[in-house]
Amino acid sequence: MPLRGHLGELRRRVVLAGLGILVGAVIGWFFYDPVFEALQMPIIEASKARDAIVSINFSGLATAIDMQVKVSFFLGVLISSPWWLYQLWAFINPGLNHKEKVRTYGFLAAAVPLFLAGATFAALVLPNAVRVLTEFTPKGATNLIDAQTYLSFVMRFMLAFGVAFLLPVIMVALTLGGVVRARTWARGWRWAILLSFVFAAVMTPTPDVLSMILLAVPICGLYFLALGIGLVHDRRVERRRAATTAAPDDL
């Protein structure tokens, strides 16, 4: 496919993914109240723990409605994750045949739970992160957290965890699609471990090392699992090619 064709296909997949997120955002609009209560709970718990005023502050006239729109789109990303993940796979492997369609189902079956697992893991870590960060507030001071700032922090936090858990699936997709050889992933395993621990250190603002290790180890494990799947796939491809090449010589 020429470059123009790839760009056209990319534009089509992005539009389809965006429409899916938009539909998910409409659904998420009706779940705003319970979701906002859940997002606000770490702030309430931090306020009780410090016995001080720690609260979300809506500083502008339109801040409340703006936050509801952003939360709705954030929920749309989560709700429509099977759809936009499929668009990602379809772009990597255009013109899917029957065998590749079966791989697509396997890709979605692994990618969606892993993405949601990463976001869920972030939600579990979030209260501890909020507690640690609010402890830096001086005694006697009031911590009024801007609603937009807090929401941006939560969204980046959860999406970063979701994407981190999704990267090994993307590795497998690129390997099965013939874009990247498994040997390339194998040569970068040291960097993968280093970046996993750096990511865990940055995304877990708690001072203890255990939280960092609990996040980094699953990411490293998923990386090596994806590497193993890629190596098995490449060996099968090499054997198939060797058998195809040897067949004419036997005639």
Side-chain angles (χ1 to χ4, degrees):
M1 183 182 294
L3 178 60
R4 181 176 297 179
H6 279 292
L7 293 177
E9 178 68 10
L10 176 61
R11 182 176 61 241
R12 190 171 77 90
R13 294 300 174 183
V14 169
V15 170
L16 289 174
L19 291 175
I21 294 174
L22 182 61
V23 173
V26 173
I27 299 173
W29 178 274
F30 298 99
F31 293 93
Y32 171 72
D33 289 336
V35 170
F36 179 74
E37 290 179 6
L39 293 176
Q40 189 177 215
M41 190 56 62
I43 301 294
I44 297 175
E45 293 177 354
S47 178
K48 293 179 179 178
R50 294 189 65 249
D51 192 21
I53 298 177
V54 181
S55 178
I56 295 179
N57 180 42
F58 292 88
S59 57
L61 182 63
T63 303
I65 183 66
D66 187 47
M67 185 166 184
Q68 184 166 352
V69 171
K70 289 183 177 180
V71 170
S72 299
F73 272 95
F74 175 65
L75 293 175
V77 173
L78 298 179
I79 294 171
S80 64
S81 56
W83 174 250
W84 57 261
L85 285 171
Y86 168 77
Q87 300 305 322
L88 173 64
W89 173 260
F91 173 72
I92 295 175
N93 284 285
L96 300 177
N97 55 36
H98 176 72
K99 186 176 181 180
E100 288 170 338
K101 287 181 179 179
V102 173
R103 289 179 179 176
T104 299
Y105 300 140
F107 171 78
L108 293 176
V112 174
L114 282 175
F115 177 77
L116 296 178
T120 302
F121 193 94
L124 296 176
V125 174
L126 180 63
N128 196 30
V130 171
R131 178 185 59 80
V132 171
L133 293 174
T134 54
E135 284 180 352
F136 288 93
T137 305
K139 290 184 179 180
T142 300
N143 196 339
L144 297 178
I145 304 172
D146 181 71
Q148 301 282 17
T149 302
Y150 178 69
L151 177 62
S152 298
F153 169 77
V154 173
M155 288 194 299
R156 286 197 301 266
F157 197 67
M158 296 185 69
L159 290 177
F161 273 69
V163 171
F165 276 63
L166 187 62
L167 283 178
V169 184
I170 297 177
M171 287 172 53
V172 174
L174 293 174
T175 302
L176 296 182
V179 179
V180 181
R181 297 291 300 274
R183 295 175 182 174
T184 303
W185 302 119
R187 285 195 294 266
W189 70 269
R190 295 179 181 84
W191 283 104
I193 293 177
L194 176 61
L195 292 175
S196 296
F197 275 88
V198 171
F199 173 82
V202 172
M203 297 308 297
T204 53
T206 54
D208 59 295
V209 180
L210 181 60
S211 298
M212 179 187 68
I213 295 176
L214 289 176
L215 174 60
V217 169
I219 296 177
C220 292
L222 291 171
Y223 178 88
F224 284 105
L225 176 62
L227 174 59
I229 295 174
L231 289 172
V232 171
H233 171 265
D234 284 358
R235 287 175 183 174
R236 288 179 178 177
V237 172
E238 290 173 359
R239 290 174 184 173
R240 194 179 301 116
R241 288 176 179 173
T244 304
T245 304
D249 298 337
D250 297 335
L251 296 178

